[in-house]
Short mmCIF file of all heavy atoms in Angstrom, two decimals:
data_model
loop_
_atom_site.label_atom_id
_atom_site.label_comp_id
_atom_site.label_asym_id
_atom_site.label_seq_id
_atom_site.Cartn_x
_atom_site.Cartn_y
_atom_site.Cartn_z
N MET A 1 97.55 104.01 99.77
CA MET A 1 96.87 104.10 101.04
C MET A 1 97.48 105.25 101.85
O MET A 1 98.67 105.45 101.83
CB MET A 1 97.03 102.80 101.82
CG MET A 1 96.50 101.55 101.14
SD MET A 1 94.75 101.46 101.13
CE MET A 1 94.44 100.83 102.74
N ALA A 2 96.63 105.94 102.56
CA ALA A 2 97.08 107.07 103.37
C ALA A 2 96.42 106.99 104.74
O ALA A 2 95.30 106.49 104.88
CB ALA A 2 96.71 108.38 102.69
N TYR A 3 97.12 107.48 105.72
CA TYR A 3 96.59 107.52 107.08
C TYR A 3 95.42 108.50 107.15
O TYR A 3 95.50 109.62 106.66
CB TYR A 3 97.69 107.94 108.06
CG TYR A 3 97.17 108.26 109.44
CD1 TYR A 3 96.63 107.27 110.24
CD2 TYR A 3 97.20 109.56 109.92
CE1 TYR A 3 96.14 107.56 111.50
CE2 TYR A 3 96.72 109.86 111.18
CZ TYR A 3 96.18 108.86 111.96
OH TYR A 3 95.69 109.15 113.20
N ALA A 4 94.33 108.07 107.77
CA ALA A 4 93.16 108.92 107.97
C ALA A 4 92.77 108.86 109.44
O ALA A 4 92.45 107.78 109.94
CB ALA A 4 92.02 108.46 107.08
N PRO A 5 92.79 109.98 110.15
CA PRO A 5 92.54 109.96 111.59
C PRO A 5 91.07 109.79 112.00
O PRO A 5 90.78 109.61 113.18
CB PRO A 5 93.07 111.31 112.05
CG PRO A 5 92.94 112.19 110.86
CD PRO A 5 93.19 111.30 109.68
N ALA A 6 90.15 109.81 111.06
CA ALA A 6 88.72 109.76 111.40
C ALA A 6 88.36 108.52 112.21
O ALA A 6 87.60 108.60 113.18
CB ALA A 6 87.87 109.83 110.15
N ALA A 7 88.91 107.36 111.85
CA ALA A 7 88.60 106.13 112.59
C ALA A 7 89.14 106.19 114.01
O ALA A 7 88.47 105.75 114.95
CB ALA A 7 89.17 104.91 111.85
N LEU A 8 90.32 106.75 114.18
CA LEU A 8 90.90 106.89 115.52
C LEU A 8 90.05 107.83 116.37
O LEU A 8 89.74 107.52 117.53
CB LEU A 8 92.34 107.42 115.43
CG LEU A 8 93.02 107.75 116.75
CD1 LEU A 8 93.07 106.54 117.67
CD2 LEU A 8 94.41 108.30 116.49
N LEU A 9 89.65 108.95 115.81
CA LEU A 9 88.84 109.91 116.56
C LEU A 9 87.48 109.31 116.92
O LEU A 9 87.00 109.50 118.05
CB LEU A 9 88.66 111.19 115.75
CG LEU A 9 89.95 111.98 115.51
CD1 LEU A 9 89.68 113.15 114.57
CD2 LEU A 9 90.56 112.44 116.81
N ALA A 10 86.87 108.58 116.00
CA ALA A 10 85.57 107.96 116.29
C ALA A 10 85.70 106.93 117.40
O ALA A 10 84.86 106.89 118.31
CB ALA A 10 85.02 107.32 115.02
N ALA A 11 86.75 106.11 117.37
CA ALA A 11 86.95 105.10 118.41
C ALA A 11 87.22 105.77 119.76
O ALA A 11 86.72 105.32 120.79
CB ALA A 11 88.10 104.17 118.03
N ALA A 12 87.99 106.84 119.74
CA ALA A 12 88.28 107.56 120.98
C ALA A 12 87.01 108.16 121.57
O ALA A 12 86.77 108.05 122.78
CB ALA A 12 89.31 108.66 120.72
N HIS A 13 86.19 108.73 120.74
CA HIS A 13 84.93 109.32 121.22
C HIS A 13 84.00 108.26 121.79
O HIS A 13 83.36 108.49 122.82
CB HIS A 13 84.25 110.12 120.12
CG HIS A 13 84.95 111.39 119.78
ND1 HIS A 13 84.62 112.17 118.70
CD2 HIS A 13 86.00 112.03 120.37
CE1 HIS A 13 85.40 113.21 118.66
NE2 HIS A 13 86.27 113.14 119.66
N ARG A 14 83.96 107.09 121.14
CA ARG A 14 83.14 105.99 121.67
C ARG A 14 83.63 105.57 123.06
O ARG A 14 82.83 105.14 123.89
CB ARG A 14 83.16 104.80 120.72
CG ARG A 14 82.26 104.96 119.51
CD ARG A 14 82.09 103.66 118.76
NE ARG A 14 83.33 103.08 118.29
CZ ARG A 14 83.92 103.38 117.13
NH1 ARG A 14 83.38 104.27 116.32
NH2 ARG A 14 85.04 102.79 116.79
N ALA A 15 84.93 105.67 123.29
CA ALA A 15 85.51 105.29 124.58
C ALA A 15 85.41 106.41 125.61
O ALA A 15 85.83 106.24 126.75
CB ALA A 15 86.97 104.87 124.39
N GLY A 16 84.89 107.57 125.20
CA GLY A 16 84.74 108.68 126.13
C GLY A 16 85.88 109.68 126.11
O GLY A 16 85.92 110.59 126.93
N ASP A 17 86.81 109.52 125.18
CA ASP A 17 87.93 110.44 125.07
C ASP A 17 87.57 111.53 124.06
O ASP A 17 87.38 111.25 122.88
CB ASP A 17 89.20 109.71 124.62
CG ASP A 17 89.65 108.68 125.64
OD1 ASP A 17 89.34 108.86 126.82
OD2 ASP A 17 90.32 107.71 125.23
N GLN A 18 87.48 112.76 124.53
CA GLN A 18 87.03 113.86 123.68
C GLN A 18 88.17 114.69 123.10
O GLN A 18 87.97 115.40 122.13
CB GLN A 18 86.08 114.76 124.47
CG GLN A 18 84.85 114.04 124.96
CD GLN A 18 84.04 113.44 123.83
OE1 GLN A 18 83.78 114.08 122.82
NE2 GLN A 18 83.67 112.18 123.98
N THR A 19 89.35 114.61 123.68
CA THR A 19 90.48 115.44 123.24
C THR A 19 91.71 114.57 123.06
O THR A 19 91.80 113.47 123.60
CB THR A 19 90.80 116.53 124.26
OG1 THR A 19 91.29 115.91 125.46
CG2 THR A 19 89.57 117.38 124.59
N PRO A 20 92.70 115.08 122.30
CA PRO A 20 93.96 114.35 122.21
C PRO A 20 94.61 114.13 123.58
O PRO A 20 95.26 113.12 123.80
CB PRO A 20 94.83 115.24 121.32
CG PRO A 20 93.84 115.96 120.46
CD PRO A 20 92.67 116.21 121.37
N ALA A 21 94.41 115.06 124.52
CA ALA A 21 94.96 114.89 125.86
C ALA A 21 94.32 113.68 126.55
O ALA A 21 95.01 112.89 127.20
CB ALA A 21 94.76 116.14 126.70
N ASP A 22 93.01 113.52 126.39
CA ASP A 22 92.32 112.34 126.95
C ASP A 22 92.88 111.07 126.33
O ASP A 22 93.13 110.08 127.02
CB ASP A 22 90.82 112.39 126.67
CG ASP A 22 90.11 113.54 127.34
OD1 ASP A 22 90.61 114.05 128.37
OD2 ASP A 22 89.04 113.94 126.83
N MET A 23 93.06 111.09 125.01
CA MET A 23 93.58 109.92 124.31
C MET A 23 94.99 109.58 124.78
O MET A 23 95.31 108.41 125.01
CB MET A 23 93.56 110.18 122.79
CG MET A 23 92.16 110.38 122.23
SD MET A 23 92.14 111.13 120.59
CE MET A 23 93.06 109.96 119.62
N ALA A 24 95.83 110.60 124.91
CA ALA A 24 97.22 110.38 125.34
C ALA A 24 97.27 109.78 126.73
O ALA A 24 98.05 108.85 126.98
CB ALA A 24 97.99 111.70 125.30
N ARG A 25 96.42 110.27 127.64
CA ARG A 25 96.39 109.71 128.99
C ARG A 25 95.98 108.24 128.95
O ARG A 25 96.59 107.40 129.62
CB ARG A 25 95.43 110.50 129.88
CG ARG A 25 96.03 111.71 130.52
CD ARG A 25 95.13 112.31 131.58
NE ARG A 25 93.92 112.88 131.01
CZ ARG A 25 93.82 114.10 130.51
NH1 ARG A 25 94.88 114.88 130.50
NH2 ARG A 25 92.68 114.55 130.05
N ARG A 26 94.94 107.93 128.19
CA ARG A 26 94.46 106.55 128.14
C ARG A 26 95.52 105.61 127.55
O ARG A 26 95.69 104.49 127.99
CB ARG A 26 93.17 106.46 127.34
CG ARG A 26 92.56 105.05 127.37
CD ARG A 26 91.28 104.95 126.58
NE ARG A 26 90.24 105.82 127.06
CZ ARG A 26 89.28 105.45 127.89
NH1 ARG A 26 89.23 104.22 128.34
NH2 ARG A 26 88.35 106.31 128.26
N MET A 27 96.23 106.09 126.52
CA MET A 27 97.24 105.25 125.86
C MET A 27 98.58 105.28 126.57
O MET A 27 99.44 104.45 126.29
CB MET A 27 97.41 105.69 124.40
CG MET A 27 96.26 105.30 123.52
SD MET A 27 96.61 105.54 121.77
CE MET A 27 96.20 107.27 121.60
N GLY A 28 98.79 106.25 127.46
CA GLY A 28 100.07 106.35 128.14
C GLY A 28 101.18 106.83 127.22
O GLY A 28 102.33 106.42 127.37
N LEU A 29 100.82 107.72 126.31
CA LEU A 29 101.78 108.23 125.33
C LEU A 29 101.88 109.75 125.43
O LEU A 29 101.00 110.40 126.00
CB LEU A 29 101.33 107.85 123.91
CG LEU A 29 101.28 106.35 123.62
CD1 LEU A 29 100.66 106.11 122.26
CD2 LEU A 29 102.67 105.76 123.69
N PRO A 30 102.94 110.33 124.85
CA PRO A 30 103.08 111.79 124.89
C PRO A 30 101.94 112.49 124.15
O PRO A 30 101.52 112.07 123.07
CB PRO A 30 104.41 112.04 124.18
CG PRO A 30 105.14 110.75 124.23
CD PRO A 30 104.09 109.68 124.23
N TYR A 31 101.49 113.59 124.74
CA TYR A 31 100.40 114.36 124.15
C TYR A 31 100.71 114.78 122.71
O TYR A 31 99.87 114.67 121.82
CB TYR A 31 100.11 115.60 125.00
CG TYR A 31 99.26 116.62 124.29
CD1 TYR A 31 97.88 116.44 124.19
CD2 TYR A 31 99.84 117.73 123.68
CE1 TYR A 31 97.10 117.36 123.51
CE2 TYR A 31 99.06 118.65 123.01
CZ TYR A 31 97.69 118.45 122.92
OH TYR A 31 96.93 119.36 122.24
N LEU A 32 101.91 115.28 122.47
CA LEU A 32 102.24 115.82 121.16
C LEU A 32 102.12 114.76 120.07
O LEU A 32 101.62 115.04 118.97
CB LEU A 32 103.64 116.44 121.16
CG LEU A 32 104.03 117.20 119.90
CD1 LEU A 32 103.02 118.30 119.58
CD2 LEU A 32 105.42 117.79 120.05
N ALA A 33 102.55 113.55 120.35
CA ALA A 33 102.43 112.48 119.36
C ALA A 33 100.97 112.21 119.03
O ALA A 33 100.58 112.13 117.86
CB ALA A 33 103.11 111.21 119.86
N VAL A 34 100.15 112.09 120.06
CA VAL A 34 98.73 111.79 119.85
C VAL A 34 98.04 112.95 119.16
O VAL A 34 97.21 112.76 118.27
CB VAL A 34 98.05 111.44 121.19
CG1 VAL A 34 96.57 111.21 121.00
CG2 VAL A 34 98.70 110.20 121.80
N TYR A 35 98.40 114.18 119.51
CA TYR A 35 97.84 115.36 118.84
C TYR A 35 98.14 115.31 117.35
O TYR A 35 97.26 115.59 116.51
CB TYR A 35 98.40 116.63 119.47
CG TYR A 35 98.02 117.87 118.72
CD1 TYR A 35 96.77 118.46 118.89
CD2 TYR A 35 98.91 118.46 117.82
CE1 TYR A 35 96.42 119.59 118.19
CE2 TYR A 35 98.56 119.59 117.11
CZ TYR A 35 97.31 120.15 117.30
OH TYR A 35 96.96 121.28 116.58
N ARG A 36 99.36 114.98 117.00
CA ARG A 36 99.73 114.91 115.57
C ARG A 36 98.95 113.84 114.84
O ARG A 36 98.57 114.03 113.69
CB ARG A 36 101.23 114.68 115.45
CG ARG A 36 102.03 115.90 115.81
CD ARG A 36 103.51 115.62 115.78
NE ARG A 36 104.26 116.84 116.07
CZ ARG A 36 105.50 116.84 116.48
NH1 ARG A 36 106.16 115.71 116.65
NH2 ARG A 36 106.11 117.99 116.72
N TRP A 37 98.70 112.71 115.49
CA TRP A 37 97.89 111.66 114.86
C TRP A 37 96.45 112.11 114.71
O TRP A 37 95.82 111.89 113.69
CB TRP A 37 97.89 110.38 115.67
CG TRP A 37 99.23 109.80 115.98
CD1 TRP A 37 100.41 110.03 115.32
CD2 TRP A 37 99.53 108.91 117.04
NE1 TRP A 37 101.42 109.33 115.92
CE2 TRP A 37 100.90 108.63 116.99
CE3 TRP A 37 98.77 108.33 118.04
CZ2 TRP A 37 101.53 107.78 117.88
CZ3 TRP A 37 99.39 107.47 118.93
CH2 TRP A 37 100.76 107.21 118.84
N ALA A 38 95.91 112.74 115.76
CA ALA A 38 94.51 113.15 115.76
C ALA A 38 94.23 114.22 114.71
O ALA A 38 93.14 114.28 114.15
CB ALA A 38 94.11 113.66 117.15
N THR A 39 95.21 115.07 114.44
CA THR A 39 95.03 116.13 113.45
C THR A 39 95.44 115.68 112.05
O THR A 39 95.25 116.42 111.09
CB THR A 39 95.84 117.38 113.83
OG1 THR A 39 97.22 117.04 113.91
CG2 THR A 39 95.34 117.98 115.13
N GLY A 40 96.02 114.49 111.93
CA GLY A 40 96.44 113.99 110.63
C GLY A 40 97.76 114.53 110.15
O GLY A 40 98.14 114.33 109.01
N ARG A 41 98.49 115.22 111.03
CA ARG A 41 99.79 115.79 110.63
C ARG A 41 100.85 114.71 110.44
O ARG A 41 101.76 114.87 109.64
CB ARG A 41 100.26 116.80 111.65
CG ARG A 41 99.41 118.02 111.64
CD ARG A 41 99.89 119.05 112.59
NE ARG A 41 98.98 120.19 112.53
CZ ARG A 41 99.16 121.29 113.17
NH1 ARG A 41 100.23 121.45 113.93
NH2 ARG A 41 98.29 122.26 113.08
N HIS A 42 100.74 113.63 111.21
CA HIS A 42 101.66 112.51 111.11
C HIS A 42 100.88 111.22 111.28
O HIS A 42 99.86 111.19 111.97
CB HIS A 42 102.74 112.56 112.22
CG HIS A 42 103.66 113.71 112.10
ND1 HIS A 42 104.72 113.73 111.24
CD2 HIS A 42 103.68 114.91 112.74
CE1 HIS A 42 105.36 114.89 111.35
NE2 HIS A 42 104.74 115.62 112.26
N ALA A 43 101.39 110.17 110.67
CA ALA A 43 100.82 108.84 110.88
C ALA A 43 101.50 108.22 112.09
O ALA A 43 102.67 108.52 112.38
CB ALA A 43 101.04 107.97 109.64
N PRO A 44 100.81 107.36 112.80
CA PRO A 44 101.42 106.71 113.97
C PRO A 44 102.59 105.81 113.56
O PRO A 44 102.57 105.18 112.50
CB PRO A 44 100.29 105.87 114.55
CG PRO A 44 99.04 106.43 113.97
CD PRO A 44 99.40 107.01 112.66
N SER A 45 103.58 105.74 114.43
CA SER A 45 104.71 104.82 114.25
C SER A 45 104.22 103.41 114.55
O SER A 45 103.10 103.22 115.05
CB SER A 45 105.82 105.20 115.24
OG SER A 45 105.37 104.94 116.56
N PRO A 46 105.05 102.40 114.29
CA PRO A 46 104.64 101.03 114.65
C PRO A 46 104.29 100.90 116.14
O PRO A 46 103.31 100.23 116.48
CB PRO A 46 105.86 100.19 114.28
CG PRO A 46 106.46 100.94 113.12
CD PRO A 46 106.28 102.39 113.50
N ASN A 47 105.04 101.54 117.02
CA ASN A 47 104.71 101.50 118.44
C ASN A 47 103.39 102.21 118.72
O ASN A 47 102.60 101.78 119.55
CB ASN A 47 105.82 102.13 119.29
CG ASN A 47 107.05 101.26 119.33
OD1 ASN A 47 106.99 100.06 119.11
ND2 ASN A 47 108.19 101.88 119.60
N GLY A 48 103.15 103.30 118.02
CA GLY A 48 101.89 104.02 118.17
C GLY A 48 100.71 103.20 117.67
O GLY A 48 99.65 103.17 118.29
N LEU A 49 100.91 102.51 116.55
CA LEU A 49 99.85 101.63 116.03
C LEU A 49 99.52 100.53 117.04
O LEU A 49 98.35 100.20 117.23
CB LEU A 49 100.27 101.02 114.69
CG LEU A 49 100.35 102.00 113.52
CD1 LEU A 49 101.01 101.33 112.33
CD2 LEU A 49 98.97 102.53 113.16
N ALA A 50 100.54 100.00 117.68
CA ALA A 50 100.31 98.95 118.68
C ALA A 50 99.52 99.51 119.86
O ALA A 50 98.61 98.85 120.37
CB ALA A 50 101.64 98.36 119.14
N ALA A 51 99.84 100.72 120.29
CA ALA A 51 99.12 101.34 121.41
C ALA A 51 97.66 101.61 121.02
O ALA A 51 96.75 101.40 121.83
CB ALA A 51 99.81 102.64 121.82
N ILE A 52 97.43 102.05 119.80
CA ILE A 52 96.07 102.30 119.33
C ILE A 52 95.28 101.00 119.29
O ILE A 52 94.12 100.95 119.72
CB ILE A 52 96.09 102.97 117.94
CG1 ILE A 52 96.63 104.40 118.07
CG2 ILE A 52 94.70 102.96 117.30
CD1 ILE A 52 96.96 105.06 116.75
N GLU A 53 95.91 99.95 118.81
CA GLU A 53 95.23 98.65 118.76
C GLU A 53 94.89 98.13 120.15
O GLU A 53 93.78 97.66 120.40
CB GLU A 53 96.07 97.63 117.99
CG GLU A 53 95.32 96.34 117.72
CD GLU A 53 95.99 95.47 116.69
OE1 GLU A 53 97.10 95.78 116.25
OE2 GLU A 53 95.38 94.46 116.32
N ARG A 54 95.84 98.26 121.09
CA ARG A 54 95.58 97.82 122.48
C ARG A 54 94.47 98.63 123.12
O ARG A 54 93.62 98.10 123.83
CB ARG A 54 96.85 97.98 123.33
CG ARG A 54 97.81 96.86 123.29
CD ARG A 54 98.87 97.00 124.39
NE ARG A 54 99.46 98.33 124.48
CZ ARG A 54 100.51 98.75 123.78
NH1 ARG A 54 101.08 97.95 122.93
NH2 ARG A 54 100.98 99.97 123.95
N THR A 55 94.48 99.92 122.89
CA THR A 55 93.57 100.83 123.57
C THR A 55 92.19 100.87 122.95
O THR A 55 91.18 100.81 123.65
CB THR A 55 94.17 102.25 123.61
OG1 THR A 55 95.47 102.18 124.18
CG2 THR A 55 93.30 103.18 124.42
N TYR A 56 92.14 100.98 121.63
CA TYR A 56 90.86 101.20 120.95
C TYR A 56 90.43 100.04 120.05
O TYR A 56 89.34 100.09 119.48
CB TYR A 56 90.91 102.49 120.14
CG TYR A 56 91.14 103.71 120.99
CD1 TYR A 56 92.31 104.45 120.89
CD2 TYR A 56 90.18 104.14 121.91
CE1 TYR A 56 92.53 105.58 121.66
CE2 TYR A 56 90.40 105.25 122.70
CZ TYR A 56 91.56 105.96 122.57
OH TYR A 56 91.77 107.07 123.36
N GLY A 57 91.28 99.04 119.90
CA GLY A 57 90.92 97.88 119.09
C GLY A 57 90.96 98.11 117.59
O GLY A 57 90.41 97.33 116.83
N LEU A 58 91.64 99.16 117.15
CA LEU A 58 91.76 99.45 115.73
C LEU A 58 93.04 98.84 115.17
O LEU A 58 94.10 98.98 115.77
CB LEU A 58 91.79 100.96 115.48
CG LEU A 58 90.56 101.74 115.88
CD1 LEU A 58 90.82 103.23 115.72
CD2 LEU A 58 89.36 101.33 115.07
N THR A 59 92.92 98.20 114.04
CA THR A 59 94.11 97.66 113.37
C THR A 59 94.69 98.72 112.45
O THR A 59 94.00 99.70 112.12
CB THR A 59 93.74 96.42 112.54
OG1 THR A 59 92.88 96.83 111.47
CG2 THR A 59 93.08 95.35 113.39
N PRO A 60 95.92 98.54 111.99
CA PRO A 60 96.48 99.50 111.03
C PRO A 60 95.60 99.65 109.79
O PRO A 60 95.44 100.76 109.28
CB PRO A 60 97.85 98.91 110.69
CG PRO A 60 98.24 98.19 111.95
CD PRO A 60 96.94 97.59 112.45
N ALA A 61 94.99 98.58 109.33
CA ALA A 61 94.10 98.67 108.17
C ALA A 61 92.90 99.56 108.44
O ALA A 61 92.40 100.23 107.53
CB ALA A 61 93.64 97.28 107.77
N ASP A 62 92.42 99.59 109.68
CA ASP A 62 91.29 100.45 110.04
C ASP A 62 91.65 101.94 109.91
O ASP A 62 90.77 102.78 109.75
CB ASP A 62 90.83 100.20 111.47
CG ASP A 62 90.27 98.81 111.69
OD1 ASP A 62 89.71 98.24 110.73
OD2 ASP A 62 90.40 98.31 112.82
N LEU A 63 92.93 102.25 110.03
CA LEU A 63 93.38 103.63 110.04
C LEU A 63 93.82 104.13 108.67
O LEU A 63 94.28 105.27 108.54
CB LEU A 63 94.54 103.79 111.03
CG LEU A 63 94.21 103.45 112.47
CD1 LEU A 63 95.49 103.44 113.31
CD2 LEU A 63 93.20 104.44 113.04
N MET A 64 93.68 103.31 107.65
CA MET A 64 94.12 103.68 106.31
C MET A 64 92.90 103.87 105.39
O MET A 64 91.88 103.26 105.57
CB MET A 64 95.03 102.60 105.72
CG MET A 64 96.28 102.38 106.50
SD MET A 64 97.29 103.86 106.46
CE MET A 64 98.48 103.47 107.70
N ARG A 65 93.08 104.72 104.41
CA ARG A 65 92.05 104.92 103.39
C ARG A 65 92.74 104.95 102.03
O ARG A 65 93.94 105.18 101.94
CB ARG A 65 91.26 106.19 103.62
CG ARG A 65 92.10 107.44 103.50
CD ARG A 65 91.23 108.68 103.51
NE ARG A 65 92.00 109.88 103.72
CZ ARG A 65 92.84 110.44 102.85
NH1 ARG A 65 93.05 109.87 101.69
NH2 ARG A 65 93.50 111.54 103.15
N GLU A 66 91.96 104.74 101.01
CA GLU A 66 92.51 104.84 99.65
C GLU A 66 92.94 106.27 99.41
O GLU A 66 92.22 107.21 99.73
CB GLU A 66 91.47 104.43 98.62
CG GLU A 66 91.16 102.94 98.63
CD GLU A 66 92.35 102.09 98.24
OE1 GLU A 66 93.12 102.50 97.35
OE2 GLU A 66 92.51 101.02 98.82
N ASP A 67 94.11 106.45 98.84
CA ASP A 67 94.62 107.78 98.53
C ASP A 67 94.06 108.22 97.18
O ASP A 67 94.38 107.62 96.16
CB ASP A 67 96.14 107.75 98.52
CG ASP A 67 96.74 109.15 98.42
OD1 ASP A 67 95.98 110.13 98.30
OD2 ASP A 67 97.97 109.24 98.47
N PRO A 68 93.22 109.24 97.14
CA PRO A 68 92.61 109.65 95.87
C PRO A 68 93.58 110.26 94.89
O PRO A 68 93.24 110.43 93.73
CB PRO A 68 91.55 110.67 96.30
CG PRO A 68 92.03 111.21 97.59
CD PRO A 68 92.79 110.07 98.24
N THR A 69 94.79 110.60 95.32
CA THR A 69 95.75 111.23 94.42
C THR A 69 96.54 110.23 93.60
O THR A 69 97.29 110.62 92.73
CB THR A 69 96.74 112.11 95.20
OG1 THR A 69 97.47 111.30 96.12
CG2 THR A 69 96.00 113.21 95.95
N THR A 70 96.37 108.93 93.89
CA THR A 70 97.14 107.92 93.12
C THR A 70 96.30 107.31 92.05
O THR A 70 95.12 107.39 91.99
CB THR A 70 97.68 106.83 94.02
OG1 THR A 70 96.60 106.20 94.70
CG2 THR A 70 98.68 107.37 94.99
#
């Protein structure tokens, strides 16, 4: 399983958040962390996953996809 930001971006857009800066403000988290999640450069930490779940209603399972390389 690998982190895939598409579900996070779709949920953010449904909530009216168009940029990582919008998402960071809504979640109350640093912009750089949210930017890295939105671009897929890093997966969210456990605290980040909790913030995503509180804010957008996505579970960690919603943010994972099958890794085609395995």
Side-chain angles (χ1 to χ4, degrees):
M1 301 287 278
Y3 169 67
L8 174 58
L9 295 174
H13 289 171
R14 283 192 302 273
D17 296 334
Q18 300 301 313
T19 67
D22 296 336
M23 297 163 60
R25 275 191 292 275
R26 186 180 299 264
M27 287 191 276
L29 296 173
Y31 165 79
L32 188 55
V34 177
Y35 172 80
R36 288 176 177 160
W37 304 339
T39 59
R41 291 183 182 185
H42 294 280
S45 67
N47 289 337
L49 291 170
I52 291 168
E53 189 165 7
R54 275 192 313 272
T55 306
Y56 298 113
L58 297 174
T59 66
D62 296 330
L63 300 171
M64 298 296 168
R65 64 170 166 72
E66 290 295 323
D67 189 356
T69 61
T70 58

